[in-house]
Amino acid sequence: MRSIWNGAISFGLVSIPIKLVNATQSHSISFRQIHTEDGGRIRYRKVCELEDREVAQAEIGKGYEDADGTIVPITDEDLAHLPLPTAKTIEIVAFVPGDRIDPLQMDAAYYLQAGGAAAAKPYTLLREALKRSNKVAVAKFALRGRERLGMLRVVEDAIALHGLLWPDEVRAPEGVAPDTAVTVSDKELDLADALMDTLGEIDLDDLHDEYREALEEVVAAKAAGETPPEAPEPARGGKVLDLMAALEKSVREAKESRGETAEETPAEVRRLPQRKTARAAPKATGGKKSTAKSATAKKTAAAKKTTAAKKTTAKSTSAAAKSTAAKKTTAKKTATKQAAAKKTTARKRTA
């Protein structure tokens, strides 16, 4: 890898010669500006305002514009002799736990490469010391015309330098958080935790830039004179969803995508009732009347069924009672006839 800066790490009285190389690279697709009528390139020309002519890159230098508009020329030699100890040195000023560094401060990343065989021993010493302490080094260094703050940490067998923004360059999140009072239930938090547990594990190497891939397909199709692929239908937004149902469904789908069996009862995402408005009031009232009528009709039908059932039961009870009374009457008549017959037989015997 090509170095972009040469210097040394100042570690107390130890000096480690190093080379700075980029740790990241961009794969984004860049475009050129063209004339839409004929496809010709649009280029910028650097023109001197005083002479009104185009100048070459070799004739262009740096200058600082003062408050009154005066331009103060600054040469590369001026910058090379800045009265700073960090002009050619990465000066370590402290060692702190990694969680002391706010991720909002993280900027560009670089690798520090040992500058020759003589740097191997002190380089390894610093690397192993960082590993054993579980700390990172906070340093100051100058790069591209300004002093910067940095963080040194171990990445595999190398030392990486992360540029950091100065604390006063990080804005406070004022006016960003919702100003509406919202209460989150324990059940909602439990479902959110379950969703986080399901989605939380992933191999970052499996993630890729889908936007760039889609853009490459469009470019390839246009270059081949073909019709670019059509974009999928965007998801419809603006719906007010039942948060609990959405969480339950999200957990279930996440588990199913991983081949797990969802134990929860399937939930459906449903729309919550919208707030009443002046125009929607008649419809809402009509809907309530219709619902009330429907409920009343259901209650009436249920009452009729109950009454009919009671009547049927009463008739059955009455019929059973009549049948029992008839049986008793028949039994009495039979008993009377038998008694009369016995009396007649006795009289005949006496005579």
Side-chain angles (χ1 to χ4, degrees):
M1 291 184 282
R2 186 176 63 87
S3 64
I4 60 173
W5 184 87
N6 296 337
I9 300 175
S10 174
F11 178 29
L13 296 178
V14 178
S15 180
I16 311 172
I18 55 96
K19 296 179 180 180
L20 198 67
V21 298
N22 285 315
T24 61
Q25 57 184 344
S26 175
H27 295 292
S28 61
I29 297 176
S30 58
F31 296 101
R32 303 291 187 185
Q33 289 187 328
I34 62 171
H35 188 199
T36 56
E37 291 187 6
D38 53 22
R41 285 280 304 277
I42 301 296
R43 299 179 181 273
Y44 291 102
R45 301 192 178 199
K46 298 180 179 180
V47 177
C48 174
E49 293 182 351
L50 298 180
E51 299 181 13
D52 193 22
R53 68 175 181 87
E54 185 177 356
V55 295
Q57 183 63 38
E59 301 178 71
I60 300 175
K62 298 181 183 70
Y64 175 78
E65 185 175 2
D66 209 345
D68 59 359
T70 303
I71 300 295
V72 180
I74 302 294
T75 66
D76 291 338
E77 185 178 359
D78 295 332
L79 296 176
H81 293 84
L82 286 175
L84 280 176
T86 57
K88 280 293 181 179
T89 303
I90 298 175
E91 181 185 2
I92 295 177
V93 296
F95 292 89
V96 300
D99 57 8
R100 285 274 303 277
I101 305 298
D102 189 343
L104 286 174
Q105 291 182 253
M106 303 289 282
D107 202 357
Y110 310 92
Y111 286 133
L112 301 181
Q113 181 180 6
K121 182 67 178 285
Y123 185 99
T124 304
L125 172 64
L126 176 58
R127 183 191 67 200
E128 295 304 313
L130 289 172
K131 278 185 181 179
R132 192 168 70 171
S133 66
N134 289 322
K135 292 183 178 181
V136 298
V138 177
K140 295 169 68 176
F141 66 104
L143 181 65
R144 291 173 181 150
R146 69 185 184 94
E147 188 175 55
R148 300 166 184 250
L149 193 63
M151 176 188 74
L152 277 67
R153 70 181 183 96
V154 177
V155 178
E156 297 182 2
D157 291 331
I159 298 176
L161 170 65
H162 293 269
L164 299 178
L165 299 175
W166 296 97
D168 60 359
E169 292 180 313
V170 179
R171 300 172 61 185
E174 297 177 357
V176 177
D179 56 0
T180 304
V182 177
T183 302
V184 179
S185 68
D186 290 338
K187 187 174 182 181
E188 290 170 335
L189 284 173
D190 291 341
L191 284 171
D193 288 341
L195 183 57
M196 290 169 63
D197 291 339
T198 306
L199 300 178
E201 296 296 330
I202 191 173
D203 187 352
L204 295 180
D205 291 335
D206 293 337
L207 301 178
H208 56 280
D209 188 350
E210 296 182 11
Y211 179 85
R212 177 173 59 86
E213 292 177 356
L215 190 56
E216 288 174 347
E217 291 181 9
V218 172
V219 172
K222 296 278 285 186
E226 302 173 355
T227 303
E230 294 185 1
E233 286 291 331
R236 295 181 180 180
K239 290 185 178 180
V240 180
L241 301 178
D242 184 332
L243 181 58
M244 288 295 294
L247 285 170
E248 290 172 358
K249 186 175 182 181
S250 298
V251 171
R252 188 179 74 254
E253 290 181 350
K255 287 185 175 181
E256 290 175 352
S257 67
R258 294 176 178 271
E260 300 177 13
T261 303
E263 298 178 357
E264 293 80 8
T265 303
E268 294 184 359
V269 179
R270 57 186 182 277
R271 293 194 64 175
L272 293 175
Q274 301 292 330
R275 292 185 177 180
K276 298 178 182 179
T277 59
R279 295 181 179 178
K283 293 183 179 180
T285 304
K288 288 183 178 179
K289 286 183 178 180
S290 175
T291 304
K293 287 181 180 180
S294 177
T296 304
K298 288 181 180 179
K299 289 181 179 179
T300 303
K304 287 181 179 180
K305 289 181 180 179
T306 302
T307 302
K310 288 181 178 180
K311 288 182 178 180
T312 302
T313 303
K315 287 181 180 180
S316 299
T317 304
S318 178
K322 288 181 179 179
S323 176
T324 303
K327 288 180 180 179
K328 289 181 178 180
T329 303
T330 304
K332 286 182 180 179
K333 288 181 178 181
T334 303
T336 302
K337 287 182 180 180
Q338 289 178 350
K342 286 181 181 181
K343 288 181 180 179
T344 304
T345 305
R347 286 175 183 172
K348 287 181 180 181
R349 288 178 181 176
T350 303

